Amino acid sequence: MKLTKTLLATTALTVAAGAVAAQDMADSMTLVSWGGAYQNSQLKAYSEPYQEMHPEVQISWDESSAEAVAKLRAMNEAGNITWDLVDVEAADAIRLCDEGLAMEIDHDEVLAEGNDGSSPTDDFGDSIVSDCFIPQIVFSTTVGYRTDLVGDTPPSDICAIFDLETYPGQRSLNKRPIGNVEWALLCDGVPKDDIYEVLATPEGQDRALAKLDTIKDQVVWWSAGADTPQLLADGEVVMGSTYNGRLFSAIAEQDQPIGMLWDAQMLDFDGWIVPEGLPEDRLARVMDFLKFATDTQRLADQAAYISYGPARASSAPLVGKHADLGIEMAPHMPTDPANAKNVFVTQYEFWADYRDDIDAKFQAWLAQ
C-alpha cells in the first residue's frame, strides 16, 4: 500500500524523536549513486560519518543512477524494491514522483532545520522541484579539453564542440539527448530563450540532430561521468562533456593537462528520492540517514571533496577548502560569478515531460 505524505511525516517524526529504537530500524541500506569522484564525496561527507555514529549499519553502494528510472520501473513491476535511497537528477525525480515510484516527502517534517534556524523549505528554496525530491547539490554539465591539443587559442565558446576545423579530433558526448540537443540548437543559431520551445516540436528535434550529425563520426559516446576525464587523460579525445566536478577532480587532484569550458554550462540540481513501497524498518533507517546526510554541515562537507555547490543556502557560507589539497573551493563551483557569466539552466520540467519520447528518437538516431 502506498504510504501517504502524512504517514511518512509521522514516521519521520517518530524516527527523529528517537521513539523508534535502533533495533527496530534496518541494519543495512543500499544507496544508489553515480560512481567516481561524486560518489566518493558522498561516502566521505555522508555515509562514513553516519557509520561512525551507527557502526551496526552496513551501507552498500550501487552505481546505477543513470538507469534509475528504468530500474525502479522494473522493480515496481516485479514487486521487489531492492534499493533504499536513490540519487537522481531533478527531471528524473519529477518523473518518478509523477509515476508513483518515489515517495512524497514533507521536507519541513523529515529534514533538519538549517543551522541558522531556517526551515528546510526556505533553506532549500527553488531546488525543491518536486514533493519527492530531497536536494543535495547544484552541478553543471560542461566541457573539458586537452590544453596541449587545442593549439594557441583554447576554446572559450561552447560551439567549439562543433568546430572540427579549428579543433580537429574526437569529442566525447553523453549518450543521451539532455545537454547535447540544447547545445546543438544554440550553436545552430536558436536564441537561448527559445531553445525549449523549439525542442518541443518534431522539427526542432530534427534540427538538433542534424547539427549533431555534423560531428557524429567524430564522437565517442559516454554513459558514466568518469569516462570523459579518462578519455581526456589518455589523449583519445580533444574535448568532451561531463560533470564539472569530474573535471575538477582530473585537473586539481590528478594534475591532468585539461582545461574547463564554463560557457553555456548546463546547470541542474541533483538529490535523493526514496523509492515507494519500502518496508517499515528500512524506511525508518532511510529517514534517520536522510535527516543527518542533508543537514547544513553535511552538505557543506561534501563541497570539500568535489566542486558542486550545496543545495542549502545555509551551507554556502561553510564551504571552505578542499579536504586534501587545501585550496579554496568556492571559485571552482559552477555558481561562482566568474564561472556563471553565461549559464544554461536545464528545464527539468520540460525533460520530465519529453524525456521518454526524445530519448527514443535520440537512440534511434544513434543507431543509424
Side-chain angles (χ1 to χ4, degrees):
M1 179 182 296
K2 181 177 179 179
L3 284 175
T4 66
K5 193 171 186 178
T6 301
L7 179 55
L8 176 60
T10 302
T11 303
L13 282 172
T14 304
V15 173
V20 176
Q23 62 266 27
D24 295 326
M25 298 186 202
D27 58 6
S28 64
M29 285 190 298
T30 297
L31 309 183
V32 184
S33 190
W34 303 85
Y38 176 60
Q39 187 170 302
N40 183 65
S41 73
Q42 295 174 306
L43 187 77
K44 295 295 185 183
Y46 307 155
S47 65
E48 287 185 354
Y50 184 79
Q51 286 182 293
E52 288 179 9
M53 297 169 56
H54 302 281
E56 75 281 5
V57 180
Q58 299 297 312
I59 296 178
S60 59
W61 290 86
D62 186 311
E63 300 179 3
S64 300
S65 281
E67 305 166 276
V69 174
K71 289 198 171 186
L72 282 170
R73 286 170 175 167
M75 288 181 190
N76 182 264
E77 183 72 21
N80 182 26
I81 309 299
T82 60
W83 292 346
D84 295 295
L85 194 59
V86 186
D87 186 297
V88 295
E89 295 174 359
D92 284 345
I94 295 173
R95 286 204 290 168
L96 290 166
C97 203
D98 289 346
E99 294 180 28
L101 301 178
M103 183 173 288
E104 291 187 358
I105 300 293
D106 187 328
H107 295 78
D108 288 338
E109 299 290 354
V110 170
L111 306 180
E113 289 186 346
N115 68 345
D116 57 0
S118 57
S119 70
T121 298
D122 289 341
D123 205 11
F124 284 105
D126 291 341
S127 64
I128 300 177
V129 302
S130 163
D131 288 338
C132 300
F133 187 56
I134 304 101
Q136 293 176 77
I137 60 164
V138 181
F139 75 99
S140 75
T141 301
T142 188
V143 170
Y145 57 89
R146 277 289 294 246
T147 55
D148 56 344
L149 298 179
V150 293
D152 297 330
T153 55
S156 59
D157 185 291
I158 192 64
C159 297
I161 293 174
F162 298 95
D163 188 352
L164 294 173
E165 182 176 348
T166 306
Y167 304 107
Q170 289 194 307
R171 287 92 163 99
S172 57
L173 293 175
N174 198 350
K175 197 175 183 179
R176 64 177 192 171
I178 297 178
N180 294 324
V181 290
E182 289 99 330
W183 286 335
L185 290 178
L186 189 67
C187 296
D188 201 43
V190 178
K192 185 192 295 186
D193 291 344
D194 296 340
I195 294 289
Y196 287 104
E197 183 179 347
V198 172
L199 197 54
T201 67
E203 295 80 11
Q205 296 158 19
D206 291 341
R207 181 175 175 179
L209 295 177
K211 183 65 174 179
L212 288 165
D213 259 328
T214 65
I215 59 169
K216 186 177 182 182
D217 63 356
Q218 291 295 311
V219 173
V220 177
W221 300 99
W222 60 266
S223 298
D227 291 348
T228 286
Q230 189 61 56
L231 289 166
L232 287 167
D234 294 342
E236 294 187 30
V237 299
V238 67
M239 66 179 66
S241 68
T242 189
Y243 310 118
N244 74 282
R246 305 302 181 102
L247 290 172
F248 169 84
S249 179
I251 295 167
E253 297 174 354
Q254 302 169 27
D255 197 28
Q256 296 288 343
I258 296 172
M260 193 185 307
L261 182 64
W262 290 106
D263 183 59
Q265 58 165 317
M266 302 287 299
L267 280 179
D268 205 344
F269 296 117
D270 197 272
W272 300 112
I273 61 96
V274 180
E276 184 64 75
L278 294 183
E280 186 175 335
D281 62 333
R282 288 168 59 190
L283 179 60
R285 177 60 69 187
V286 166
M287 291 296 106
D288 190 62
F289 175 78
L290 263 180
K291 188 167 187 176
F292 170 83
T294 60
D295 71 14
T296 294
Q297 188 61 57
R298 247 48 59 180
L299 293 188
D301 287 348
Q302 186 179 9
Y305 300 97
I306 199 163
S307 58
Y308 296 140
R312 294 191 85 131
S314 64
S315 300
L318 302 183
V319 173
K321 295 182 178 181
H322 190 279
D324 300 317
L325 301 177
I327 61 174
E328 293 291 341
M329 291 298 287
H332 299 281
M333 299 294 173
T335 49
D336 183 80
N339 303 329
K341 294 178 180 178
N342 183 33
V343 301
F344 196 115
V345 179
T346 307
Q347 286 194 12
Y348 29 81
E349 291 180 350
F350 171 89
W351 282 112
D353 291 339
Y354 286 89
R355 178 69 183 273
D356 285 341
D357 290 342
I358 297 180
D359 260 350
K361 195 168 190 175
F362 185 81
Q363 297 305 324
W365 169 80
L366 279 180
Q368 291 174 358

